[in-house]
Amino acid sequence: MAYLSMASSIETRRSGRSRLNAGKNLMSEYDVVVVGAGNAACCAALAAAEHGARVLVLERASQPESGGNSRFTAGAIRFAYDGVDDLVTLMPDLTESEIAATDFGSYTEAQFYDDMGRVTDYRTDPELASYLVSESKPTVLWMQQNGVRFAPIWGRQAFKVDGKFKFWGGLTVEAWGGGEGLVDALHGSLAEKGIEIRFGVAAKSLIFDGSTVRGIVGRQGGQAVEISASSVVLAAGGFQANTEWRTRYLGPGWDLSKVRGTRFNTGDGIKMALDIGAMPYGNWSGAHAVAWEYNAPEFGDLAVGDAFQKHSYPFGVVINNDGQRFLDEGADFRNYTYAKYGREILKQPDYSAWQIFDAKVDHLLRDEYRIQQVTKVHANSIEELCARMDGVDTNAALETIRQYNEAVDTTTAFNPNIKDGRSTSGLDINKTNWANTLDEPPFQAYNVTCGLTFTFGGLRIDSKGQVLDTDLVQIPGLYAAGELVGGLFYGNYPGGTGLMAGAVFGKLAGTSAALSRTS
């Protein structure tokens, strides 16, 4: 990476130095320039303004498409809480009847930290993970104070059993209105505080004098623009929308994955930092990738939002075009497996898989299974269903389902709110929980492929959110937050942690960038 970017790095240093030598005594236009306008970027801008900084936000997209991947999310956000009192503080609209009908449980800092370790095979950077966990609750409360409303995720994270909802998997809350509601609330808060967002400005390089970042060079309307600043916060997302980069770093076949979110996250923020010697960090061959509608468009569609995802697979069976199961659908709560199973689907013939359900679990399927834009077959017999699944070896699929049905432990009670231990035995790949026989018509199957959410590789930051160079020395004037920060996620990801990490490290980066003016 350093070799590939050497020429542009030298040019960036030279051009930045010549510009600064021509007017090095001039005051910066802004104290902090934030690159990006999603969740992490907005939190950085709000935090910087709180500390008295003059802030400008640069957004590559037009206003309707602004907000990066944040606008495309369902808005779930994971944070540590001790019980229902913490949730009432965050969501004062909760009624007594809603509280009485719900077991919210608790999700302690210890549990959150353990989940970060467990799902990443204990590769997560312990300092980053610890800061994320400890700052998660204070940060969502701070977001609330800045106009973001939250609501419990009934229907997606809690099922009604014996007359009561029970939340599971440590994920309880979402932003009101999902990702679009989150972005609109944050943009509204920026406007209230007089923080300008300039839409249609693509940041291309950093103004850098060889030691310190002094601003941004971008393009707007086909023209180059230069904006000087005391500090820059990069919060422009990962490189998932860059076909060449994801093939280079994630590997063969990833050029054929669907991108769940924005088309604008092409790694520009990462590149401009690497060009001046920033340290790459984290799982560059890893990404958050899920089961996604097979015929979804190349990039996310705001009209559909996150509904192309297909996340009820723990209650069914997943087979490939060879008619074989290839993963444990019930290995854990969906929150802890969905972000890695997209990669497994991408490995299958034709990058395709089918999720199969019978009538027993139809009421458990999420709303995303009810949309019009879905590749679905249904039938009154398994034989007819398998024959209708395009590209699937019918005989092999029927044999797989026969063996699966015979292997199910029907003596253990099925309970979707807990890891119920209702499993199979004797199969090459057993299902660990929520194993039901497929025998009650009507049957339905949904065709899915790999949907890429964001990439895990990025920049290395320190405890102030400041970007480090390849000698692990701070680069003065440069901070980072959001998806382009490396070191948090490896191979997998606990659901809802992306927005939380973006907010926590965005707030940190914005605060540090503002305070650096006086240090």
Side-chain angles (χ1 to χ4, degrees), residues 124-348:
T124 187
D125 182 303
E127 291 184 5
L128 292 179
S130 180
Y131 188 81
L132 166 65
V133 168
S134 64
E135 290 298 311
S136 62
K137 183 170 67 175
T139 300
V140 291
L141 293 171
W142 173 81
M143 293 172 76
Q144 180 208 44
Q145 294 162 11
N146 279 280
V148 179
R149 294 179 63 194
F150 296 95
I153 318 178
W154 284 302
R156 289 194 291 127
Q157 290 296 135
F159 299 107
K160 201 167 191 177
V161 176
D162 296 329
K164 193 160 189 172
F165 287 98
K166 179 179 175 61
F167 277 91
W168 44 265
L171 189 57
T172 309
V173 168
E174 65 184 349
W176 190 274
E180 289 205 73
L182 172 63
V183 171
D184 290 346
L186 289 169
H187 285 191
S189 187
L190 292 179
E192 288 177 7
K193 291 172 173 56
I195 302 170
E196 179 188 359
I197 305 177
R198 290 189 192 172
F199 299 100
V201 181
K204 292 298 182 183
S205 61
L206 295 163
I207 300 173
F208 182 62
D209 65 3
S211 64
T212 302
V213 170
R214 305 290 188 182
I216 281 283
V217 178
R219 290 189 66 80
Q220 183 175 25
Q223 301 295 318
V225 294
E226 294 186 12
I227 301 167
S228 60
S230 299
S231 295
V232 171
V233 177
L234 298 174
F239 58 84
Q240 62 273 5
N242 185 328
T243 305
E244 193 271 336
W245 270 37
R246 68 177 186 255
T247 307
R248 183 195 305 184
Y249 294 114
L250 302 183
W254 283 94
D255 50 332
L256 301 176
S257 63
K258 310 280 187 177
V259 176
R260 294 179 63 192
T262 178
R263 59 192 172 94
F264 296 105
N265 283 10
T266 52
D268 292 4
I270 298 172
K271 181 180 183 302
M272 67 181 73
L274 296 180
D275 283 347
I276 66 165
M279 180 69 162
Y281 190 46
N283 184 197
W284 277 73
S285 61
H288 181 304
V290 308
W292 194 246
E293 160 59 36
Y294 186 78
N295 287 305
E298 179 183 6
F299 300 107
D301 181 348
L302 284 172
V304 178
D306 217 29
F308 284 128
Q309 65 189 0
K310 296 292 175 280
H311 288 344
S312 293
Y313 59 85
F315 307 129
V317 166
V318 183
I319 67 169
N320 61 21
N321 282 0
D322 291 336
Q324 305 297 320
R325 289 176 60 248
F326 56 92
L327 51 79
D328 179 357
E329 304 91 343
D332 205 335
F333 288 118
R334 185 272 312 175
N335 295 341
Y336 302 123
T337 60
Y338 79 118
K340 67 178 181 178
Y341 277 176
R343 177 184 288 269
E344 298 306 312
I345 295 170
L346 195 68
K347 296 176 183 177
Q348 304 311 307

Side-chain angles (χ1 to χ4, degrees), residues 9-26 206-212 214 217 226:
S9 175
I10 293 172
E11 181 58 31
T12 301
R13 292 169 189 257
R14 287 175 177 168
S15 60
R17 189 178 297 115
S18 63
R19 281 191 294 270
L20 289 161
N21 286 341
K24 68 165 70 172
N25 295 321
L26 296 178
L206 295 163
I207 300 173
F208 182 62
D209 65 3
S211 64
T212 302
R214 305 290 188 182
V217 178
E226 294 186 12

